[in-house]
Amino acid sequence: MNRACALLGRCLCILVVVLAADAVAGPTAPAPDAGAAGVQRVHATGDAWLDGRLADIDLYAERYPDAFAAELERYAGVPRAYVSGLLAQPGWHGGDAWFACFLAHATEATCRSVVRARTRAGAEATWEAVAAEFDARPGSAAYGQLRLSLADSYRRWSRPLQPDPALTRALRKRAEAETKAGR
């Protein structure tokens, strides 16, 4: 009996420590589509740096749905209700919605047309293949615009962003052009 009480006491002590650590750390968002194996989904845009940021946007959209929807409404021209409806669909996450709507913006298409193309292509289709339907491929001007739009979204969200060398050059080039234009 004493041995059982001692074991129970240790288990309770461990539980208290774990709960206290969780309270100090605060809530954490689960990895998108993390299954039993803990595998994080890949957006498959053909741009590994962009894929990583879209996975982060999945988490941001889950945690701050109003700010996320406001961003797409104001800067990609997509109504909040459409964004909310899209995120309620199976297989659609924040990074997907962001990519679809800003791809549309970069290629002068509508977000609905990009969403329809992705739906038509099926669950196994990559974003790289869908983007190619809109004449946007990794390294293209449209992808360059997507990367700049992503940097702008992160700035507005006050979210830290570590740009890769290509984005650093694009941001510098844009700043120089704005300086010359007198902005």
Side-chain angles (χ1 to χ4, degrees), residues 27-43:
T28 58
D33 279 354
V39 176
Q40 191 173 15
R41 63 188 300 276
V42 176
H43 289 275

Side-chain angles (χ1 to χ4, degrees), residues 15-34:
L15 179 61
V16 168
V17 170
V18 168
L19 290 174
D22 281 349
V24 170
T28 58
D33 279 354

Side-chain angles (χ1 to χ4, degrees), residues 103 107 131 134-147:
L103 172 65
T107 59
F134 293 87
D135 291 326
R137 291 176 176 72
S140 68
Y143 262 63
Q145 183 57 49
L146 278 167
R147 290 164 139 264

Side-chain angles (χ1 to χ4, degrees), residues 130-161:
V130 173
E133 290 184 38
F134 293 87
D135 291 326
R137 291 176 176 72
S140 68
Y143 262 63
Q145 183 57 49
L146 278 167
R147 290 164 139 264
L148 287 169
S149 293
L150 189 136
D152 293 339
S153 290
Y154 269 63
R155 180 181 41 79
R156 287 186 288 266
W157 292 332
S158 298
R159 199 151 180 86
L161 178 67

